Amino acid sequence: MPLENVDIQSVLEEALTERDTTLQETVLPEINIGEALPIDDSLDLADKYAEFGVVTVVGSVKDGIIGYKTNSLRTIDSDIEWKKAPVGNWGKAATWTKQELRAIERLGQNLETVKIDNLYANAMATLQYAGYLGHQDIKGQEGLLTGTGIDIVTEAKGIDEMTSEEVVKFIISLYKKAWQKSGYRVKPTHIAMDAGDYMELMAKFDPNSSIVGADMLPVSAMARIRAALKEANDGQDVGLTFVKIPSNYAVGVAGANKTRMVVYVHDPMYVEMRVHMPELLPVRQRDLLTWESGYESAFGGAMWKQPQSAVYADYKKTVAT
């Protein structure tokens, strides 16, 4: 007895739902936007904008004292500029033929998951792209590397051209500048930089060092950076996290021969991304012999709530080897 179309659709829906449950619990190694940005997944698919406030003024600490005769309180008029981050809606589909689905039902074969796996991976990769750069097709959408109102430091040399001494000085000076902007109240927590340049940094050692580590190698530039920050924090680890930006997203942001790095506070009070995570679409019959399903999602890019808390560094692009 031939399979009815309704039976075929049910077979596909059951197989895709089961696979989607697995995918939602899978950590994709190529996706690290959650390390780079605080993620709020409460965005609705119907939202056109994600509203947020940009804070530029903090109240003075030199007033507000009250006494027995105080009958009114000084107010804080924090300067909050309300903005709307444009939301991008995304969706893609894949198709399965009647012959494929017959094999699943009659021969007991499993659904070939590569199509739905690739769709899910593409949806997550698109969220990541928007988080780092803002999607190019969504006018006005900003990313971690393309925010407005953030101070920019320029450097003529590339990470590959710097000596160990120079790269330590470069990173420490950026950290200091970002920390200084808060009056040394709020320490930066993250530095996001190109993954290739991060490896260049990791390969920097002091050739003149008379001290070696347990691995018998000279002291590395990274070890010196962390030691300097620890010393500045009364001997306690500052907990600085280096985020490795993939896919050359940091390259070319500020020009063809420039790469961008950002020092910032990883906290939703300072910067945040709102998303609607990829959601499986219902199966439907496309034509006489094929059925389709897919994913849809939405994303609002990076919302810089306190852009004055971060610093960009635009430096020379590393020469590919």
Side-chain angles (χ1 to χ4, degrees), residues 11-16 18-19 22 96-117:
V11 167
L12 183 56
E13 283 179 345
E14 183 178 350
L16 290 180
E18 181 178 347
R19 184 58 184 168
T22 300
W96 289 263
T97 66
K98 194 170 188 177
Q99 192 62 29
E100 289 178 282
L101 300 174
R102 280 192 182 120
I104 295 171
E105 177 66 16
R106 290 297 175 86
L107 303 180
Q109 295 179 357
N110 293 324
L111 177 71
E112 178 57 61
T113 63
V114 66
K115 294 179 183 179
I116 201 70
D117 289 0

Side-chain angles (χ1 to χ4, degrees), residues 31-50:
I31 304 299
N32 72 343
I33 192 62
E35 299 174 23
L37 285 168
I39 303 295
D40 177 353
D41 62 1
S42 65
L43 191 66
D44 193 276
L45 289 171
D47 291 338
K48 298 296 183 183
Y49 298 94

Side-chain angles (χ1 to χ4, degrees), residues 9-28:
Q9 182 165 320
S10 297
V11 167
L12 183 56
E13 283 179 345
E14 183 178 350
L16 290 180
T17 300
E18 181 178 347
R19 184 58 184 168
D20 176 61
T21 300
T22 300
L23 288 173
Q24 296 291 348
E25 298 173 352
T26 301
V27 177
L28 302 179

Side-chain angles (χ1 to χ4, degrees), residues 6-222:
V6 65
D7 295 330
I8 290 177
Q9 182 165 320
S10 297
V11 167
L12 183 56
E13 283 179 345
E14 183 178 350
L16 290 180
T17 300
E18 181 178 347
R19 184 58 184 168
D20 176 61
T21 300
T22 300
L23 288 173
Q24 296 291 348
E25 298 173 352
T26 301
V27 177
L28 302 179
E30 67 272 24
I31 304 299
N32 72 343
I33 192 62
E35 299 174 23
L37 285 168
I39 303 295
D40 177 353
D41 62 1
S42 65
L43 191 66
D44 193 276
L45 289 171
D47 291 338
K48 298 296 183 183
Y49 298 94
E51 294 189 353
F52 65 103
V54 177
V55 180
T56 56
V57 173
V58 178
S60 173
V61 299
K62 296 183 178 180
D63 55 22
I65 301 300
I66 62 174
Y68 290 115
K69 296 183 179 180
T70 302
N71 55 23
S72 65
L73 297 177
R74 185 175 293 275
T75 60
I76 293 179
D77 295 320
S78 296
D79 188 1
I80 302 177
E81 178 186 359
W82 289 99
K83 288 190 174 183
K84 293 182 177 182
V87 169
N89 289 88
W90 177 97
K92 286 186 180 180
T95 61
W96 289 263
T97 66
K98 194 170 188 177
Q99 192 62 29
E100 289 178 282
L101 300 174
R102 280 192 182 120
I104 295 171
E105 177 66 16
R106 290 297 175 86
L107 303 180
Q109 295 179 357
N110 293 324
L111 177 71
E112 178 57 61
T113 63
V114 66
K115 294 179 183 179
I116 201 70
D117 289 0
N118 287 343
L119 273 180
Y120 183 80
N122 186 235
M124 293 299 294
T126 304
L127 291 179
Q128 175 159 280
Y129 162 63
Y132 278 121
L133 298 177
H135 201 286
Q136 64 177 10
D137 291 339
I138 309 300
K139 185 178 180 180
Q141 190 173 87
E142 296 181 352
L144 180 67
L145 297 170
T146 56
T148 55
I150 297 173
D151 285 353
I152 301 174
V153 174
T154 57
E155 169 57 49
K157 285 188 175 183
I159 300 294
D160 59 328
E161 298 175 327
M162 296 181 188
T163 64
S164 176
E165 188 74 28
E166 288 172 333
V167 77
V168 170
K169 184 178 180 180
F170 177 53
I171 298 294
I172 294 295
S173 67
L174 293 175
Y175 184 93
K176 177 184 175 182
K177 184 174 179 63
W179 191 12
Q180 188 178 42
K181 291 175 69 178
S182 70
Y184 295 103
R185 296 189 303 271
V186 182
K187 299 182 184 71
T189 63
H190 284 55
I191 294 179
M193 64 185 299
D194 176 71
D197 284 340
Y198 176 80
M199 294 308 299
E200 290 285 345
L201 172 60
M202 293 297 291
K204 301 286 184 183
F205 294 89
D206 184 355
N208 301 315
S209 175
S210 59
I211 303 174
V212 296
D215 52 10
M216 301 307 293
L217 290 172
V219 176
S220 68
M222 180 62 78

